[in-house]
Amino acid sequence: MRSFKQLSSLAKKIRTHVLKMTHRAKSAHVGTSLSMADLLAVLYGGILRVRPKEPDWPERDRFILSKGHGCAGLYAALAEVGFFPLSWLEEFYQNGSILAGHITHYVPGVEASTGSLGHGLSIACGMALAGRREGKSYRVFTLMSDGECDEGSVWEAALFVPHHKLDNLIAIVDYNKIQSLGTVKDVLDLDPFAAKWKAFGWAVREIDGHDYKAIEDALKNIPFESGKPSCVIAHTVKGKGVHFMENSLLWHYRSPNAEELECALKELEEAL
Amino acid sequence: MRIAFFRTLLELAEQDKRIHLVVGDLGFGAVEPFAERYPDRFLNVGVAEQNMIGIATGLALSGKIVFVYSISNFPTLRCLEQIRNDICYHRASVKIVASGGGFVYGALGMSHHVTEDIAVMRALPEMVVVAPGDPSEVELATRAVASHSGPCYLRLGRTGEARVHQKNVSFQLGKATLVRSGKDVTLISTGALLETAFQVAEELEEQGVEVRVLSMHTLKPLDSEAVLVAARETQAIVTLEEHSLIGGLGSAVAEVLAESSEVQVSFKRLGIPSGFSSCVGDQEYLRAVHGLSKNGIMQSLRPILSLIER
Ligand SMILES: Cc1ncc(C[n+]2csc(CCOP(=O)(O)OP(=O)(O)O)c2C)c(N)n1
């Protein structure tokens, strides 16, 4: 496991790539990549048992990005830990590229393609079930968004996992409180969110999704309860790390222009 | 197209209080005027398409005319059984509107490539399927689906397509619109490729080939009469669509031709071969990759043109 300083440096690199990639591509969905950057840093900074040089290693932990529009963040993390060359990030979103604007399994290290919300947890169910039936020790992680939890399929899967006692499955929700047309509170309130997961039979922890220690504490102690799947509700800030992108619906859509990019990179650089 | 749709919807809503707009957490920068003007007739159900279609059906069965708006495959494929059993079987007055037909969201990847929607929607009983060719057709199509009493699917492109029709367009659901006359070859286009079809026709004109262009904005019910007339009056029919070659415009036209015993006409379908795109890119790029740029179409037409007698 990397030190907190190293995790912070990895997260900073992820954010820097995300800003440059979305600027170059003139693509949307910056906010979601920034809100989960710290979660990704901890996951790929030591929690996930993966081998970047052997992406298909059968014993690897599986990680599914269910909120596929956060792909820039995941591509950046995968490149930083060595699944593919950093130079590939320049191809993001470009004509002829495989680095699509929603996460795709054409890219090494990507377990499953998503883009339509509410698919990832179900795929994770299947992988966790297969792992258990084969007596494997790998774990299956999926990272979802809060808006995604509007989908009925999420709750179908949420019922399934505890019923089958899949304690090798970990669902993380990037609870940044904003979706596509407004705040989660205004569009479709999820609260009491943790209570819902608990009622469905999950062991739940609520953490600050930008606090490395809290993230690591949670993800190192899986399963939270033997025989139960684990749910991590990570309270986050959409657009985290760049003040003018934070908590702003607009930055679900906009990409930074040259001036904004410079400003944002400076802010990241100056942050502790 | 998106602008023309929302502008028209606002006008319609002013005249008809039954009109509701239901969205699935999409439409930023487009739905706000409606939402602000008619808050009691607007609803964002959240990212929940299956629920959205059920709710729309319930509203429609309570006397409302419901426009459901989303993008990409979300309001069609994501909630297909709700569309079939809830909307279509009850013949509910729900109009499903999807932005982003074809490769509009090309760089966003597979999930956002809208390439089978026409085939799937066409197969559903009661469903009227419309893919207008330019913003002026969008306006008329929006009015037409609003006054049609049953289920409709309206496939839109993006924001900012050029207007193809120069003068007032005649538009009737189920009737192809003649965009350009010609007696050698007929190009039948659906959706936003109309502009390209028109450009191809102009270029062929310079080569001495007279090309008829039909905008087949309504895919179901299909204007089989216009197809048969073209088969009699011109020597070749070529269909153009930003959609899979399976089940879309080309298939629909082929069905008409195959069942008609009287016509002899060369026939070619241009569209997207079945299969996922191996890469991403913007709309123009992915169209070209699949042979749907002006040049790509010109090239595909060569063999058929060589057979034409002038
Ligand atoms: C099934 C489905 N419907 C709609 C969309 C379009 N869409 C993309 S992101 C998004 C919501 C964004 O909010 P949230 O899910 O909370 O993710 P965040 O960006 O806040 O992390 C929507 C509706 C989609 N990708 N999938």
Side-chain angles (χ1 to χ4, degrees), chain A residues 32 69 115 117 145-147 151 176 178-180 238, chain B residues 49 74:
Chain A
T32 191
H69 61 290
L117 293 166
S145 60
D146 43 24
E151 291 284 1
N176 63 27
I178 296 182
Q179 45 189 102
S180 273
K238 199 161 177 171
Chain B
E49 293 77 12
F74 307 133

Side-chain angles (χ1 to χ4, degrees), chain A residues 5-272:
Chain A
K5 203 165 161 223
Q6 288 168 320
L7 291 176
S8 153
S9 152
L10 178 56
K12 189 185 279 189
K13 283 179 186 155
I14 293 171
R15 289 193 166 93
T16 303
H17 289 307
V18 165
L19 292 166
K20 288 182 177 170
M21 288 159 75
T22 50
H23 163 69
R24 194 183 303 112
K26 297 190 170 57
S27 61
H29 305 146
V30 191
T32 191
S33 282
L34 297 181
S35 73
M36 68 170 179
D38 298 312
L39 293 165
L40 286 177
V42 178
L43 282 161
Y44 282 92
I47 294 291
L48 291 176
R49 300 173 196 141
V50 289
R51 294 181 179 168
K53 297 296 169 226
E54 195 187 347
D56 294 333
W57 175 45
E59 308 305 322
R60 72 191 180 279
D61 283 342
R62 274 64 168 166
F63 174 74
I64 295 172
L65 182 66
S66 192
K67 48 166 209 159
H69 61 290
C71 56
L74 182 53
Y75 293 143
L78 290 171
E80 273 298 336
V81 299
F83 277 92
F84 53 85
L86 283 168
S87 62
W88 285 23
L89 298 179
E90 288 167 26
E91 294 291 307
F92 172 62
Y93 219 81
Q94 305 299 316
N95 288 341
S97 172
I98 57 166
L99 269 71
H102 284 85
I103 203 75
T104 170
H105 67 287
Y106 289 0
V107 176
V110 177
E111 212 64 59
S113 297
T114 58
S116 177
L117 293 166
H119 289 232
L121 185 57
S122 299
I123 299 176
C125 288
M127 289 179 173
L129 190 64
R132 227 219 1 227
R133 289 186 168 175
E134 288 165 18
K136 301 263 191 191
S137 60
Y138 69 74
R139 300 151 320 157
V140 185
F141 294 75
T142 183
L143 179 53
M144 300 187 287
S145 60
D146 43 24
E148 176 172 15
C149 294
D150 295 355
E151 291 284 1
S153 56
V154 168
W155 300 100
E156 293 173 24
L159 272 175
F160 179 93
V161 191
H163 179 83
H164 290 273
K165 304 191 172 54
L166 297 174
D167 64 2
N168 54 346
L169 193 152
I170 304 94
I172 307 169
V173 185
D174 178 4
Y175 197 8
N176 63 27
K177 323 284 187 303
I178 296 182
Q179 45 189 102
S180 273
L181 278 187
T183 62
V184 171
K185 248 216 158 18
D186 287 344
V187 175
L188 199 57
D189 200 0
L190 293 170
D191 281 338
F193 199 31
K196 290 190 173 74
W197 289 94
K198 273 183 204 142
F200 274 59
W202 293 65
V204 185
R205 278 213 198 169
E206 290 193 73
I207 59 166
D208 173 349
H210 302 301
D211 176 342
Y212 303 114
K213 184 167 178 335
I215 304 170
E216 195 182 302
D217 276 351
L219 297 181
K220 265 191 166 168
N221 290 300
I222 282 162
F224 301 150
E225 281 177 50
S226 167
K228 276 190 178 186
S230 309
C231 172
V232 177
I233 296 175
H235 293 273
T236 56
V237 172
K238 199 161 177 171
K240 175 75 180 180
V242 179
H243 75 279
F244 58 90
M245 294 181 179
E246 288 185 355
N247 290 316
S248 152
L249 183 62
L250 191 63
W251 286 95
H252 184 67
Y253 300 95
R254 283 209 49 194
S255 54
N257 62 29
E259 203 177 311
E260 288 158 346
L261 175 68
E262 193 185 332
C263 211
L265 292 179
K266 194 155 160 254
E267 183 173 341
L268 282 185
E269 210 39 62
E270 285 166 1
L272 288 175

Side-chain angles (χ1 to χ4, degrees), chain B residues 103 113 270-273 275-279 285-293 296 300:
Chain B
F103 291 126
H113 295 169
L270 297 181
I272 304 163
F276 293 113
S277 186
S278 60
C279 62
Y285 177 84
L286 288 183
R287 278 183 177 180
V289 165
H290 294 91
L292 295 174
S293 62
S300 301

